[in-house]
């Protein structure tokens, strides 16, 4: 049976996706995240329900040392046969960080560190261990597109400049709003997905790199740092009605989770590399992401700057530019 490693697979959209991968696609799973008590409990429930192999991996995407440790452990799982046939990597963990500006252990702004740099490093460390038909799926967001209601509502993206984003608010400069930090992190996610696709093709690899937008799903824990009344309001039917009327992409935990699983494992998406899929109103479609997300120069700069920020060593680089 193939194996999928999913970050943030114990909650929200990731958990629904994990259930689908286990039940429909019959994938073994590696659940990776920082909340081990919850992850182990979820792993036990999934094992019992679906009779598949599930391993767990401690991984805090905001910490470079945690990502390196997790990658070492995962490679050991492959070497010992605890995990076989690594076919899917789902970079799904992420957060919206309201409240005061904060920085990761490595000194980088928390949104960019959590949503972008951790997954970037994980991909560099693990892609070489993936099978030829492997897929890497990035959970992005419609908020990355300033020409859509999603982008306008959450915060118009800033320049996807990794060094500036990692150092947001430093040196007395005015920081971006939490909304802009989030939407820009999702633009960077899509730029990574497309740049990875180009690199893989140039390297002669058939691994797919795919971007996915689950649509707005207020029932998850994503808004947990927002004030309680805002969290409550976001989950009401009234808010759903309004956001639908103004054209915000509509997801649901079940449909968005199932869509993520489809993109990662369904044979119909085998040739979907370099594309962007969106779940909206119960339909999963192949759609265009924002104009900026197709900018190859910006993507290349983001990639190279991210390499510098994660202090990537030459022997760690999976996705060589040839
Ligand atoms: N919900 C939406 O409306 C929406 C829309 C578009 C895109 N998305 C994206 O969908 C993905 C899943 O979010 P969700 O809506 O399902 O929210 P969620 O219920 O809060 O799930 C987020 C997952 O990410 C994990 N995570 C957060 N920070 C982490 C870190 N530093 N290290 C490891 N894991 C971490 C969380 O684990 P903990 O339990 O440890 O926090 C949780 O498992 C995210 O990338 C989000 O940006 C969501």
């Amino acid at each position: 049976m193939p194996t999928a490693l999913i970050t943030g697979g114990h909650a929200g959209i990731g958990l629904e996706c994990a259930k689908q991968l286990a039940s429909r696609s019959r994938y073994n799973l590696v659940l990776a995240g920082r909340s081990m008590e919850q992850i182990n409990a979820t792993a036990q429930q999934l094992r019992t329900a679906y009779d598949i192999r599930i391993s767990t991996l401690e991984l805090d995407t905001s910490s470079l040392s945690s990502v390196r440790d997790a990658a070492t452990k995962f490679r050991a799982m492959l070497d010992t046969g605890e995990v076989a046939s690594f076919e899917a990597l789902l970079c799904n963990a992420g957060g919206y960080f309201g409240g005061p500006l904060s920085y990761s252990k490595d000194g980088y702004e928390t949104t960019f560190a959590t949503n972008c740099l951790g997954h970037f490093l994980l991909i560099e460390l693990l892609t070489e261990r993936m099978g030829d038909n492997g897929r890497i799926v990035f959970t992005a967001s419609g908020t990355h597109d300033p020409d859509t209601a999603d982008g306008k509502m959450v915060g118009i993206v800033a320049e996807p400049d990794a060094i500036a984003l990692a150092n947001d608010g430093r040196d007395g400069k005015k920081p971006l709003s939490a909304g802009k930090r989030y939407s820009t992190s999702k633009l960077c996610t899509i730029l990574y997905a497309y740049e990875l696709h180009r690199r893989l093709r140039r390297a002669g690899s058939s691994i797919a790199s795919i971007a996915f937008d689950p649509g707005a799903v207020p029932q998850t824990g994503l808004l947990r740092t927002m004030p309680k009344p805002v969290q409550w309001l976001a989950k009401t039917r009234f808010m759903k009605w309004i956001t639908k009327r103004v054209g915000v992409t509509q997801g649901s935990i079940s449909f968005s989770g199932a869509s993520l699983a489809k993109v990662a494992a369904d044979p119909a998406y085998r040739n979907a590399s370099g594309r962007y899929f969106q779940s909206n109103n119960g339909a999963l479609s192949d759609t265009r992401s924002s104009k900026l997300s197709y900018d190859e120069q910006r993507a290349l700069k983001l990639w190279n700057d991210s390499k510098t920020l994660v202090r990537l060593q030459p022997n760690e680089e999976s996705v060589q530019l040839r």
Side-chain angles (χ1 to χ4, degrees), residues 37-279:
E37 208 173 306
Q38 273 175 274
I39 292 173
N40 285 327
T42 303
Q44 194 46 48
Q45 284 163 13
L46 295 178
R47 270 183 212 111
T48 310
Y50 303 113
D51 190 26
I52 54 161
R53 277 168 78 171
I54 305 199
S55 304
T56 61
L57 194 58
E58 188 159 6
L59 166 70
D60 177 349
T61 60
S62 74
S63 158
L64 301 177
S65 61
S66 170
V67 174
R68 283 192 165 84
D69 288 350
T72 303
K73 283 187 196 130
F74 183 69
R75 282 194 296 258
M77 287 176 180
L78 286 165
D79 291 340
T80 59
E82 178 183 340
V83 166
S85 188
F86 175 33
E87 295 292 341
L89 171 58
L90 288 86
C91 299
N92 168 74
Y96 176 101
F97 299 92
L101 193 65
S102 64
Y103 297 91
S104 69
K105 273 196 217 159
D106 305 287
Y108 302 143
E109 189 284 313
T110 304
T111 317
F112 188 64
T114 306
N115 296 359
C116 298
L117 290 176
H119 286 126
F120 172 83
L121 179 58
L122 193 66
I123 288 164
E124 281 286 13
L125 298 174
L126 294 184
T127 304
E128 61 161 358
R129 302 299 304 264
M130 189 167 249
D132 283 346
N133 292 319
R135 293 184 210 174
I136 299 173
V137 183
F138 297 77
T139 305
S141 162
T143 60
H144 84 279
D145 188 344
D147 294 329
T148 63
D150 306 58
K152 290 188 177 93
M153 192 176 71
V154 170
I156 300 291
V157 284
E159 180 63 29
D161 175 331
I163 307 289
L165 293 169
N167 293 295
D168 188 36
R170 297 260 190 225
D171 301 328
K173 290 203 185 111
K174 189 171 181 267
L176 300 171
S177 67
K180 275 179 182 280
R181 290 199 295 272
Y182 179 77
S183 53
T184 310
S185 76
K186 294 300 179 179
L187 169 61
C188 294
T189 298
I190 300 175
L191 286 163
Y192 282 148
Y194 295 164
E195 176 64 20
L196 178 60
H197 162 73
R198 290 187 285 271
R199 282 170 183 257
L200 290 165
R201 288 302 161 274
R202 279 199 292 270
S205 167
S206 52
I207 293 172
S209 171
I210 305 169
F212 168 72
D213 167 28
V217 187
Q219 286 73 23
T220 70
L222 189 73
L223 302 181
R224 69 184 97 157
T225 58
M226 291 249 186
K228 287 273 182 276
V230 176
Q231 291 185 43
W232 174 82
L233 186 66
K235 290 179 184 154
T236 59
R237 292 175 143 235
F238 173 66
M239 200 59 187
K240 188 176 167 70
W241 180 78
I242 291 198
T243 55
K244 196 169 177 179
R245 277 191 71 109
V246 298
V248 169
T249 318
Q250 302 290 312
S252 72
I253 294 196
S254 56
F255 188 79
S256 302
S259 299
L260 176 56
K262 259 192 184 173
V263 171
D266 193 313
Y269 294 84
R270 184 173 288 138
N271 299 319
S273 192
R275 283 154 53 192
Y276 175 69
F277 293 87
Q278 188 169 59
S279 131

